[in-house]
């Protein structure tokens, strides 16, 4: 009988290790830290799905509650890290959209300041610029670069679907760029940026395109900073989607699910999207010209194409494009924009990570912007993974995250 506790403990240890362990590329530093973080996230997802199956909250609501609890724990542990006492923080609305405004301690008396609109990530379903590392980074940026930062709290799934988050961000952007508002915050109209990470990078790119082509706007964004942005939903078999499909924290299946949710599509279409059946050749609306805009065999370098082959389906799912029109809407998929639109876009900073399913979205967009005559700085992290910019504090602090934040800040300092 005395052996039973030992056996049970051993079995539990093995089970825990089995759940936590995932093979990771050698380039990723501190792999066990990433594994533990990912295991926690997966456990949260599984528990949320179970609660939803039992008839409790929507699984996204449960995940948000768990993230709020984790955010509170991190705040208590940081002991003031990331807090800039001189930065004035105001929670107000721009054109009816909730925003958080960060004003630097160096006032605008007689001196105009930089301005930046930030759009947070989270698969159009999770996250808030008011919490965690987003809040800390925006405070630091405001203080260090003497910048008025406007972080937009756009509405999220499941409460809304596309195009509502995009329209929220666009409305807030137009309000911020109005001469009256810029003057109120002493922001130089020639030094205003839009930035975002992941789904926020998607929104930042889409809003930037719309503002750039809107002749009624007297002030436009000077630069755009896109941090591992998601930019298209027609090809889930790019080299990076296949290479990194099991790499935390954004799995290929999860990104497909985020897209289905955002576009208001049937979640049972996941397997069809994974196989590229939704973008088969028989869909006449996906013209050769449109396909060329995300043809990774042309847009990627040999280093990133490797030995992967394009997954092109002759005949796939019937009626998908009619049921999910957002797939071809450039407001949802900025990579599909024509060269005449890209040519009007501002200078760009695009951060990509080697170990990220979205790597190729960012690399292809950088290439297409450059081909359209836009100046682009590509900042690629060989040891980076999706979301790394957010992991700069205990308990999940990564050196690559700190380097990514520094690269982002330095580029803005030199280009905005």
């Amino acid at each position: 009988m005395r052996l039973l506790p030992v056996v049970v403990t051993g079995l539990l240890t093995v089970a825990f290790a089995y759940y936590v362990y995932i093979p990771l590329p050698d380039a990723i530093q501190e792999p066990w830290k990433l594994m533990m973080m990912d295991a926690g996230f997966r456990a949260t997802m599984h528990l949320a799905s179970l609660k939803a199956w039992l008839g409790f909250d929507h699984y996204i609501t449960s995940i948000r509650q768990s993230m709020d609890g984790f955010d509170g724990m991190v705040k208590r542990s940081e002991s003031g890290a990331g807090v800039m006492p001189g930065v004035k923080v105001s929670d107000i609305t721009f054109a009816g959209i909730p925003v958080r405004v960060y004003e630097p301690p160096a006032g605008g008396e007689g001196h105009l300041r930089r301005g930046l609109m930030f759009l947070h990530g989270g698969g159009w379903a999770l996250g808030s610029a008011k919490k965690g590392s987003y809040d800390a980074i925006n405070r630091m940026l405001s203080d260090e670069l003497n910048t008025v930062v406007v972080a937009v709290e756009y509405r999220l799934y499941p409460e809304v679907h596309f195009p509502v988050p995009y329209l929220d961000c666009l409305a807030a952007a137009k309000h911020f760029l109005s001469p009256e508002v810029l003057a109120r915050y002493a922001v130089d109209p020639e030094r205003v940026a839009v930035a975002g990470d992941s789904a926020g990078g998607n929104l930042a790119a889409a809003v930037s395109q719309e503002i750039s082509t809107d002749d009624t706007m007297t002030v436009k964004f000077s630069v755009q900073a896109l941090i591992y942005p998601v930019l298209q939903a027609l090809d889930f078999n790019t080299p990076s989607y296949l290479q990194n499909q099991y790499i935390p924290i954004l799995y290929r299946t999860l990104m497909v699910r985020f897209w289905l949710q955002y576009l208001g599509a049937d979640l049972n279409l996941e397997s069809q999207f994974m196989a590229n059946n939704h973008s088969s050749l028989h869909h006449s609306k996906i013209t050769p010209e449109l396909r060329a805009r995300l043809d990774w065999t042309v847009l990627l370098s040999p280093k990133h194409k490797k030995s992967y082959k394009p997954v092109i389906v002759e005949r796939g799912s019937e009626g998908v494009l009619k049921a999910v029109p957002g797939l071809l809407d450039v407001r949802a998929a900025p990579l599909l924009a024509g060269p005449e639109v890209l040519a009007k876009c501002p200078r760009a900073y695009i951060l990509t990570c080697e170990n990220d399913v979205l790597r190729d979205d960012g690399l292809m967009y950088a290439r297409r912007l450059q081909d359209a005559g836009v100046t682009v700085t590509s900042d690629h992290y060989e040891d980076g993974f999706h979301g790394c910019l957010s992991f700069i504090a205990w308990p999940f602090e990564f050196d690559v995250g700190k380097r990514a934040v520094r690269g982002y800040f330095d580029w803005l300092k030199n280009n905005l």
Side-chain angles (χ1 to χ4, degrees):
M1 291 294 293
R2 284 178 293 183
L3 285 176
L4 184 59
V6 176
V7 172
V8 172
T9 300
L11 290 174
L12 289 174
T13 301
V14 170
F16 177 77
Y18 179 80
Y19 186 79
V20 170
Y21 178 77
I22 48 175
L24 294 175
D26 292 338
I28 292 180
Q29 301 176 15
E30 301 177 284
W32 277 102
K33 186 186 292 185
L34 181 57
M35 289 181 208
M36 291 294 293
M37 180 179 69
D38 179 65
F41 183 63
R42 281 187 284 117
T44 299
M45 293 278 288
H46 293 154
L47 180 60
S49 297
L50 176 61
K51 288 176 66 178
W53 182 76
L54 291 173
F56 293 102
D57 294 329
H58 191 285
Y59 91 99
I60 290 293
T61 302
S62 298
I63 294 173
R64 289 175 186 165
Q65 292 170 349
S66 298
M67 291 176 67
D68 287 344
F70 177 76
D71 182 56
M73 180 186 73
V74 171
K75 279 186 176 179
R76 288 191 297 272
S77 70
E78 285 179 343
S79 303
V83 175
M84 300 296 163
V87 175
K88 177 184 175 183
V89 178
S90 307
D91 291 322
I92 58 174
T93 61
F94 275 12
I97 310 302
V99 299
R100 171 166 283 192
V101 180
Y102 303 82
E103 297 178 67
E109 302 84 2
H111 300 282
L112 294 179
R113 306 176 289 192
R114 297 180 177 94
L116 181 140
M117 173 161 282
F118 180 78
L119 310 175
H120 70 82
W124 307 284
L126 303 169
S128 168
K130 296 181 180 181
K131 300 173 182 177
S133 58
Y134 287 132
D135 181 61
I137 290 171
N138 285 332
R139 288 174 186 267
M140 290 188 291
L141 194 154
S142 179
D143 181 66
E144 183 175 328
L145 300 185
N146 192 31
T147 302
V148 175
V149 178
V150 176
V152 182
E153 290 291 285
Y154 57 90
R155 286 171 286 179
L156 302 169
Y157 172 89
E159 290 78 16
V160 299
H161 304 89
F162 172 80
V164 175
Y166 163 80
L167 294 175
D168 283 355
C169 295
L170 181 62
K174 288 185 173 181
H175 184 87
F176 185 38
L177 291 171
S178 66
E180 299 79 14
V181 174
L182 293 177
R184 184 190 313 156
Y185 288 103
V187 171
D188 187 340
E190 296 185 359
R191 303 175 75 190
V192 188
V194 62
D197 73 310
S198 194
N202 166 283
L203 294 166
V207 168
S208 179
Q209 288 181 4
E210 177 61 27
I211 295 291
S212 298
T213 55
D214 187 346
D215 293 334
T216 68
M217 296 294 296
T218 57
V219 179
K220 302 188 179 187
F221 289 116
S222 313
V223 301
Q224 57 181 321
L226 312 179
I227 300 163
Y228 30 75
V230 50
L231 299 167
Q232 59 85 27
L234 291 181
D235 188 355
F236 292 106
N237 288 274
T238 63
S240 62
Y241 263 114
L242 297 178
Q243 173 187 307
N244 301 308
Q245 59 183 315
Y246 303 117
I247 303 297
I249 57 172
L250 184 63
Y251 293 91
R252 180 169 169 246
T253 52
L254 181 58
M255 190 63 249
V256 173
R257 187 178 186 88
F258 280 149
W259 266 116
L260 291 171
Q261 293 174 167
Y262 183 47
L263 297 178
D266 184 347
L267 299 184
N268 291 320
L269 289 172
E270 180 180 307
S271 61
Q272 299 294 321
F273 277 47
M274 295 275 284
N276 280 1
N277 284 338
H278 65 303
S279 56
S280 58
L281 292 175
H282 87 282
H283 289 300
S284 59
K285 289 185 178 180
I286 310 179
T287 63
E289 180 184 19
L290 201 60
R291 292 183 187 277
R293 295 174 185 175
L294 68 156
D295 183 357
W296 59 261
T297 66
V298 174
L299 297 171
L300 295 181
S301 68
K303 172 186 175 183
H304 293 113
K305 286 188 290 188
K306 297 184 172 67
S307 59
Y308 291 99
K309 304 297 181 184
V311 175
I312 301 173
V313 179
E314 289 288 336
R315 297 194 63 84
S317 308
E318 297 288 343
V320 173
L321 293 182
K322 185 176 181 180
V324 194
L327 286 167
L328 301 184
D329 194 324
V330 296
R331 299 175 302 170
L335 185 59
L336 300 182
E340 72 284 355
V341 172
L342 300 185
K344 295 182 178 181
C345 288
R347 283 175 294 140
Y349 168 84
I350 300 180
L351 186 153
T352 53
C353 295
E354 180 63 23
N355 311 290
D356 179 8
V357 294
L358 300 181
R359 179 198 70 195
D360 295 345
D361 281 25
L363 293 176
M364 287 191 287
Y365 197 53
R367 169 69 183 275
R368 290 205 59 225
L369 284 170
Q370 289 173 327
D371 288 348
V374 177
T375 300
V376 179
T377 298
S378 291
D379 195 9
H380 187 69
Y381 289 81
E382 291 291 339
D383 58 340
F385 54 89
H386 193 82
C388 65
L389 187 99
S390 295
F391 302 120
I392 57 173
W394 186 94
F396 299 118
E397 179 181 353
F398 289 86
D399 178 69
V400 67
K402 293 183 176 181
R403 284 187 281 115
V405 170
R406 178 47 49 197
Y408 167 51
F409 279 23
D410 286 349
W411 187 85
L412 289 172
K413 181 179 182 180
N414 294 326
N415 292 273
L416 179 60

